[in-house]
Amino acid sequence: MQMMVGTNKGSPAASSSSNITSLPAPTDPDVRLGVYGGELVAVLYFDGYITPQTAEVARRKLIKALQADGIALAGPESAGFFRVGQYGAVHTLEQRVNEMLLRVNV
């Protein structure tokens, strides 16, 4: 499992622009910013805390929806690999929002 922790889209801390030109220029001459590659992912939002059990439930739910639409999983995802994005502070009483991400073929 690969975990990405970030800010929920639309929250005050989220950037209003994801364009590479909006990023600050590197101060080190050996550092360069670039956009390379890309991937197509299907995303399922779900609330609560992520455990192996809740992640598996979300993964199966997303796979079922993809199968209903005739969309196949790509590469390692077809063997059970998945990624999860988590939004919100770890130690909080507020509701956490999560994303199950699976790479797909079109």
Side-chain angles (χ1 to χ4, degrees), residues 65-87:
L66 293 170
Q67 288 173 338
D69 289 338
I71 299 173
L73 296 176
E77 277 78 354
S78 60
F81 178 84
F82 64 89
R83 290 178 280 177
V84 175
Q86 297 180 302
Y87 306 98

Side-chain angles (χ1 to χ4, degrees), residues 8-88:
N8 191 3
K9 183 177 179 180
S11 70
S15 171
S16 61
S17 173
S18 59
N19 188 328
I20 192 168
T21 59
S22 68
L23 299 173
T27 56
D28 184 329
D30 293 328
V31 175
R32 292 176 185 80
L33 295 177
V35 176
Y36 303 96
E39 60 185 4
L40 181 61
V41 296
V43 178
L44 173 73
Y45 292 92
F46 62 101
D47 295 329
Y49 289 94
I50 296 176
T51 65
Q53 295 79 17
T54 58
E56 184 60 23
V57 168
R59 183 173 105 31
R60 288 183 187 200
K61 185 175 180 180
L62 182 53
I63 289 172
K64 184 177 179 181
L66 293 170
Q67 288 173 338
D69 289 338
I71 299 173
L73 296 176
E77 277 78 354
S78 60
F81 178 84
F82 64 89
R83 290 178 280 177
V84 175
Q86 297 180 302
Y87 306 98

